[in-house]
Structures are given as C-alpha cells and as structure tokens.
C-alpha cells in the first residue's frame, strides 16, 4: 500500500522542502500540491464545507515550483499535482516545466548519492 500527502503550499504552511524530507523519512511515497489560480469575484458556488472560502485557495503557490523544491531534497518521493489547470496554462511551457523538474530532480538525486 502506498501513502501520500496533499497540501496547499502557502507562505504560512510548512515549506515544500521541509515536508518532503519529513514525508520521505516517515516512509511516505508521494507528495501532492494543489493549484488554484483563478477565483471569480462573484462566487456562486459555496466553499467546500460551507462558509467563506479559506485563504489557502487565494494564497496557494504554484505547484510546479513547490514540487521542484520537494523533488530536489528527496531521493524516492514521488511528486504530483492534485490538480493542474492545464487549460489555464501555456501549452508549450507546461510540458517543458514538467520535463525540467524531472531533469533537475534526477540530477540532484544522482549528485546526492554520489557524494554519500
């Protein structure tokens, strides 16, 4: 069985690097980052669980940036977006961004294992 954690990374949450290290040390398999880039001014849909929309929806950081930080400090932890709003992203830059994360994280893991 595999276990992962999902989070809205914000400037007031645990950092992606800190969480990734803690998860890997505890045997978790993955970390998932949320994306929520657009919030309409006249919100007609109620917030999950009711009440006002929680600040984390407004304050969430870019998932690809946060996942890069997580990938660069771990060796085996899988990373993923809980939701990636592909239609709201550039269709050329998004795949390049994902490929770049793959390359940066793979090279950082190799350099860490070589220095150990």
């Amino acid at each position: 069985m595999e276990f992962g954690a999902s989070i809205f990374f914000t400037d007031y949450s645990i950092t992606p690097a800190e969480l990734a290290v803690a998860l890997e040390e505890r045997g978790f398999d993955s970390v998932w980052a949320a994306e929520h880039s657009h919030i309409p001014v006249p919100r007609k849909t109620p917030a999950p669980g009711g009440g006002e929309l929680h600040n984390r929806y407004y304050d969430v950081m870019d998932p690809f940036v946060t996942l890069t930080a997580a990938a660069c400090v771990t060796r085996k932890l899988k990373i993923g977006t809980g939701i990636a709003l592909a239609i709201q992203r550039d269709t050329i830059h998004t795949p390049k961004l994902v490929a770049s994360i793959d390359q940066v994280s793979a090279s950082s893991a190799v350099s860490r294992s070589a220095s150990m």
Side-chain angles (χ1 to χ4, degrees):
M1 186 175 299
E2 294 183 359
F3 289 94
S6 178
I7 185 171
F8 280 74
F9 286 111
T10 67
D11 61 335
Y12 45 84
S13 72
I14 187 172
T15 70
E18 290 172 324
L19 180 61
V21 168
L23 291 173
E24 192 169 66
E25 287 173 350
R26 289 160 177 81
F28 280 73
D29 299 289
S30 59
V31 62
W32 300 82
E35 177 168 45
H36 207 299
S37 59
H38 297 70
I39 299 171
V41 175
R43 288 185 40 252
K44 296 180 180 175
T45 305
E52 291 299 312
L53 191 63
H54 194 279
N55 284 347
R56 67 179 173 252
Y57 287 92
Y58 297 97
D59 302 337
V60 67
M61 292 188 270
D62 183 272
F64 296 106
V65 172
T66 57
L67 292 172
T68 300
C72 286
V73 297
T74 59
R75 296 184 65 178
K76 296 187 277 184
L77 196 68
K78 297 173 193 167
I79 59 169
T81 56
I83 293 177
L85 302 171
I87 197 73
Q88 297 173 346
R89 293 183 157 273
D90 185 278
T91 56
I92 295 172
H93 288 118
T94 302
K96 186 173 185 170
L97 177 60
V98 172
S100 296
I101 294 170
D102 183 48
Q103 291 299 308
V104 170
S105 65
S107 63
S108 66
V110 169
S111 63
R112 273 197 313 277
S113 63
S115 66
M116 294 179 161

